Amino acid sequence: MVLASLFVAGCGGSEQGDDAKSGRHSRSPETTGEQASPSEPGTPEGTPLAKTDWAAVINDIDCTGAGNEGVEILRTWYADVRGTGVPDAFVSFTCRHQASSYPQQLEVYDGSSSPDSPRRIGVLLSAEEKAHGPGPRVGVVSFAGKSVTLKLAAYTADDPFCCPSLRVDRTFTWNGTRFERKPGS
C-alpha cells in the first residue's frame, strides 16, 4: 500500500493551486516551475482580457458528465503573435472531475475583444484528441514572432494516467486569418 502511494505521488504530483474566493483550481507559474515577468509572454498588460473569468465564459466543452465540477482553467498565456499590438489570450483548460481525468483543450482568444464575451480565434489542442488515455497534456507554450509552439506530453497504450511517456512538439503560425499547424508537428 505504501509503495502504491509513493508511485502515484511520484508520477502525478499536484500542480494545482486553489483560489479560495472562487473555489476554482488553477495552475500558476509558481506551481508549475515556470516564471512570468512583465517582459515575457504570459503577462496580460495591454489586453482587455486580463481580468476575464475564463471558467465563466468558456462554453464549448461539455462538462456535464456525472460527478463533474465544471471547467478548470489550467494556465493562461498572453502574447501578440498576430502583430496587432494587443496580446491575445492562450487558455489551457479541462473539465474538473473527481472520478477521472478529462482531456485538455487550448484555445486562443482575440486580445482586443470584450472580456465578457471574448472572440475565439483558434483551437490549438482539442479535447477530442484522445488516442490513448485522456489525450495530450500541455507542458510548455512558447512564442516566436507569429508562431506558437506547444510542448505536449502524450500517452502510449501502456502508459498509466499518471505518467504520459511521449513528448510531442506542435508549432502553429498565424497566417493573417487563422493558425496553421506546421506539417509534421
Side-chain angles (χ1 to χ4, degrees), residues 54-79:
W54 293 108
V57 299
I58 291 174
N59 60 8
D60 61 335
I61 189 169
D62 183 11
C63 291
T64 59
N68 187 288
E69 299 177 10
V71 171
E72 177 180 357
I73 304 304
L74 301 173
R75 178 85 195 267
T76 303
W77 297 264
Y78 294 88

Side-chain angles (χ1 to χ4, degrees), residues 65-110:
N68 187 288
E69 299 177 10
V71 171
E72 177 180 357
I73 304 304
L74 301 173
R75 178 85 195 267
T76 303
W77 297 264
Y78 294 88
D80 182 9
V81 296
R82 297 184 303 143
T84 63
V86 178
D88 296 314
F90 294 75
V91 183
S92 172
F93 61 93
T94 190
C95 291
R96 188 173 40 217
H97 195 282
Q98 291 181 9
S100 66
S101 183
Y102 268 75
Q104 290 184 4
Q105 188 151 316
L106 192 143
E107 298 181 350
V108 186
Y109 292 87
D110 180 342

Side-chain angles (χ1 to χ4, degrees), residues 118-138:
R119 184 173 72 90
R120 186 177 73 182
I121 57 175
V123 176
L124 305 185
L125 178 64
S126 172
E128 300 299 316
E129 297 181 44
K130 297 182 276 186
H132 304 287
R137 301 293 193 209
V138 178

Side-chain angles (χ1 to χ4, degrees), residues 15-31:
E15 294 180 353
Q16 299 174 346
D18 291 333
D19 179 347
K21 291 180 184 174
S22 69
R24 292 192 178 101
H25 301 279
S26 63
R27 291 184 184 187
S28 67
E30 294 79 28
T31 58

